[in-house]
Short mmCIF file of all heavy atoms in Angstrom, two decimals:
data_model
loop_
_atom_site.label_atom_id
_atom_site.label_comp_id
_atom_site.label_asym_id
_atom_site.label_seq_id
_atom_site.Cartn_x
_atom_site.Cartn_y
_atom_site.Cartn_z
N LEU A 52 -2.06 14.06 -5.89
CA LEU A 52 -2.23 15.26 -5.08
C LEU A 52 -1.38 16.40 -5.63
O LEU A 52 -1.79 17.56 -5.62
CB LEU A 52 -1.86 14.97 -3.62
CG LEU A 52 -2.03 16.12 -2.63
CD1 LEU A 52 -3.45 16.68 -2.68
CD2 LEU A 52 -1.69 15.68 -1.21
N ILE A 53 -0.18 16.07 -6.13
CA ILE A 53 0.66 17.09 -6.76
C ILE A 53 -0.05 17.67 -7.98
O ILE A 53 -0.01 18.87 -8.23
CB ILE A 53 2.02 16.49 -7.15
CG1 ILE A 53 2.80 16.08 -5.88
CG2 ILE A 53 2.84 17.49 -7.97
CD1 ILE A 53 4.12 15.43 -6.15
N ALA A 54 -0.74 16.80 -8.73
CA ALA A 54 -1.51 17.28 -9.89
C ALA A 54 -2.58 18.27 -9.44
O ALA A 54 -2.83 19.28 -10.13
CB ALA A 54 -2.14 16.10 -10.61
N LYS A 55 -3.20 18.02 -8.29
CA LYS A 55 -4.22 18.94 -7.78
C LYS A 55 -3.60 20.27 -7.38
O LYS A 55 -4.22 21.32 -7.55
CB LYS A 55 -4.95 18.31 -6.60
CG LYS A 55 -5.85 17.13 -6.98
CD LYS A 55 -6.59 16.57 -5.79
CE LYS A 55 -7.50 15.42 -6.18
NZ LYS A 55 -8.23 14.86 -5.03
N TRP A 56 -2.37 20.23 -6.84
CA TRP A 56 -1.69 21.49 -6.52
C TRP A 56 -1.42 22.28 -7.80
O TRP A 56 -1.57 23.50 -7.83
CB TRP A 56 -0.38 21.23 -5.79
CG TRP A 56 -0.52 20.54 -4.47
CD1 TRP A 56 -1.65 20.48 -3.69
CD2 TRP A 56 0.50 19.83 -3.77
NE1 TRP A 56 -1.39 19.76 -2.55
CE2 TRP A 56 -0.08 19.36 -2.57
CE3 TRP A 56 1.83 19.53 -4.02
CZ2 TRP A 56 0.64 18.60 -1.63
CZ3 TRP A 56 2.56 18.79 -3.10
CH2 TRP A 56 1.96 18.34 -1.92
N GLU A 57 -1.02 21.57 -8.83
CA GLU A 57 -0.63 22.24 -10.08
C GLU A 57 -1.83 22.74 -10.88
O GLU A 57 -1.74 23.77 -11.55
CB GLU A 57 0.22 21.30 -10.94
CG GLU A 57 1.59 21.02 -10.33
CD GLU A 57 2.47 20.19 -11.25
OE1 GLU A 57 1.97 19.71 -12.29
OE2 GLU A 57 3.66 20.01 -10.93
N ASN A 58 -2.94 21.99 -10.82
CA ASN A 58 -4.10 22.47 -11.59
C ASN A 58 -4.98 23.43 -10.80
O ASN A 58 -6.00 23.91 -11.30
CB ASN A 58 -4.93 21.28 -12.13
CG ASN A 58 -5.57 20.45 -11.02
OD1 ASN A 58 -5.89 20.95 -9.95
ND2 ASN A 58 -5.77 19.16 -11.30
N GLY A 59 -4.57 23.73 -9.57
CA GLY A 59 -5.27 24.74 -8.78
C GLY A 59 -6.45 24.22 -7.99
O GLY A 59 -7.12 25.00 -7.30
N THR A 60 -6.72 22.90 -8.06
CA THR A 60 -7.82 22.36 -7.27
C THR A 60 -7.55 22.53 -5.79
O THR A 60 -8.45 22.84 -5.01
CB THR A 60 -8.01 20.86 -7.60
OG1 THR A 60 -8.21 20.71 -9.00
CG2 THR A 60 -9.20 20.28 -6.85
N VAL A 61 -6.28 22.31 -5.38
CA VAL A 61 -5.85 22.57 -4.00
C VAL A 61 -4.89 23.75 -4.04
O VAL A 61 -3.80 23.65 -4.63
CB VAL A 61 -5.17 21.33 -3.39
CG1 VAL A 61 -4.65 21.65 -1.99
CG2 VAL A 61 -6.14 20.16 -3.34
N LYS A 62 -5.27 24.86 -3.43
CA LYS A 62 -4.48 26.09 -3.54
C LYS A 62 -3.52 26.31 -2.37
O LYS A 62 -2.60 27.11 -2.46
CB LYS A 62 -5.41 27.30 -3.66
CG LYS A 62 -6.28 27.29 -4.91
CD LYS A 62 -7.14 28.54 -5.00
CE LYS A 62 -7.98 28.55 -6.26
NZ LYS A 62 -7.16 28.56 -7.49
N TRP A 63 -3.73 25.58 -1.27
CA TRP A 63 -2.93 25.83 -0.07
C TRP A 63 -2.64 24.48 0.61
O TRP A 63 -3.34 24.07 1.50
CB TRP A 63 -3.69 26.77 0.86
CG TRP A 63 -2.94 27.27 2.06
CD1 TRP A 63 -3.23 27.03 3.37
CD2 TRP A 63 -1.77 28.10 2.07
NE1 TRP A 63 -2.33 27.65 4.19
CE2 TRP A 63 -1.42 28.32 3.41
CE3 TRP A 63 -1.00 28.67 1.06
CZ2 TRP A 63 -0.33 29.10 3.78
CZ3 TRP A 63 0.10 29.45 1.42
CH2 TRP A 63 0.42 29.66 2.77
N PRO A 64 -1.57 23.77 0.17
CA PRO A 64 -1.25 22.46 0.74
C PRO A 64 -0.95 22.56 2.23
O PRO A 64 -0.72 23.64 2.78
CB PRO A 64 0.00 22.03 -0.04
CG PRO A 64 -0.04 22.83 -1.30
CD PRO A 64 -0.66 24.14 -0.91
N ALA A 65 -0.93 21.40 2.89
CA ALA A 65 -0.61 21.35 4.31
C ALA A 65 0.78 21.93 4.56
O ALA A 65 1.65 21.91 3.68
CB ALA A 65 -0.68 19.91 4.80
N ALA A 66 0.98 22.43 5.78
CA ALA A 66 2.23 23.14 6.11
C ALA A 66 3.46 22.27 5.88
O ALA A 66 4.49 22.73 5.39
CB ALA A 66 2.19 23.61 7.56
N HIS A 67 3.37 20.97 6.26
CA HIS A 67 4.56 20.12 6.11
C HIS A 67 4.87 19.88 4.64
O HIS A 67 6.04 19.79 4.25
CB HIS A 67 4.37 18.80 6.85
CG HIS A 67 3.15 18.03 6.50
ND1 HIS A 67 1.89 18.42 6.85
CD2 HIS A 67 2.99 16.89 5.78
CE1 HIS A 67 1.00 17.54 6.40
NE2 HIS A 67 1.65 16.61 5.73
N TYR A 68 3.82 19.80 3.79
CA TYR A 68 4.07 19.63 2.36
C TYR A 68 4.66 20.90 1.75
O TYR A 68 5.54 20.84 0.88
CB TYR A 68 2.78 19.24 1.64
CG TYR A 68 2.38 17.80 1.84
CD1 TYR A 68 1.05 17.45 1.98
CD2 TYR A 68 3.34 16.79 1.88
CE1 TYR A 68 0.67 16.12 2.16
CE2 TYR A 68 2.97 15.46 2.05
CZ TYR A 68 1.63 15.13 2.20
OH TYR A 68 1.28 13.81 2.36
N ARG A 69 4.20 22.06 2.19
CA ARG A 69 4.76 23.31 1.66
C ARG A 69 6.23 23.43 2.04
O ARG A 69 7.06 23.85 1.23
CB ARG A 69 3.97 24.52 2.18
CG ARG A 69 2.52 24.56 1.74
CD ARG A 69 1.91 25.96 1.86
NE ARG A 69 2.18 26.60 3.13
CZ ARG A 69 1.46 26.43 4.24
NH1 ARG A 69 0.41 25.60 4.24
NH2 ARG A 69 1.76 27.08 5.35
N ALA A 70 6.56 23.06 3.28
CA ALA A 70 7.96 23.11 3.71
C ALA A 70 8.82 22.18 2.86
O ALA A 70 9.94 22.54 2.45
CB ALA A 70 8.07 22.74 5.19
N ALA A 71 8.31 20.99 2.59
CA ALA A 71 9.06 20.03 1.78
C ALA A 71 9.22 20.54 0.35
O ALA A 71 10.30 20.41 -0.25
CB ALA A 71 8.35 18.68 1.79
N LEU A 72 8.16 21.12 -0.20
CA LEU A 72 8.24 21.66 -1.56
C LEU A 72 9.29 22.78 -1.66
O LEU A 72 10.06 22.84 -2.62
CB LEU A 72 6.87 22.17 -2.00
CG LEU A 72 5.85 21.12 -2.43
CD1 LEU A 72 4.46 21.73 -2.48
CD2 LEU A 72 6.23 20.55 -3.80
N ARG A 73 9.30 23.65 -0.66
CA ARG A 73 10.28 24.74 -0.68
C ARG A 73 11.71 24.18 -0.68
O ARG A 73 12.59 24.67 -1.40
CB ARG A 73 10.08 25.67 0.53
CG ARG A 73 8.81 26.51 0.48
CD ARG A 73 8.84 27.63 1.51
NE ARG A 73 9.01 27.15 2.87
CZ ARG A 73 8.03 26.81 3.70
NH1 ARG A 73 6.77 26.90 3.28
NH2 ARG A 73 8.27 26.39 4.93
N ALA A 74 11.93 23.12 0.14
CA ALA A 74 13.27 22.55 0.23
C ALA A 74 13.66 21.81 -1.05
O ALA A 74 14.76 21.99 -1.57
CB ALA A 74 13.33 21.60 1.43
N VAL A 75 12.75 20.99 -1.55
CA VAL A 75 13.07 20.16 -2.72
C VAL A 75 13.21 21.01 -3.98
O VAL A 75 14.09 20.76 -4.81
CB VAL A 75 11.98 19.07 -2.91
CG1 VAL A 75 12.19 18.34 -4.23
CG2 VAL A 75 11.99 18.10 -1.74
N LEU A 76 12.35 22.03 -4.12
CA LEU A 76 12.36 22.86 -5.33
C LEU A 76 13.18 24.14 -5.15
O LEU A 76 13.14 25.02 -6.01
CB LEU A 76 10.92 23.20 -5.74
CG LEU A 76 10.05 21.99 -6.10
CD1 LEU A 76 8.65 22.44 -6.48
CD2 LEU A 76 10.67 21.18 -7.23
#
Side-chain angles (χ1 to χ4, degrees):
L52 182 55
I53 295 177
K55 291 182 179 180
W56 297 341
E57 292 185 352
N58 65 30
T60 304
V61 176
K62 297 182 178 298
W63 188 244
H67 55 289
Y68 284 142
R69 297 199 313 275
L72 282 165
R73 291 194 302 271
V75 172
L76 298 179

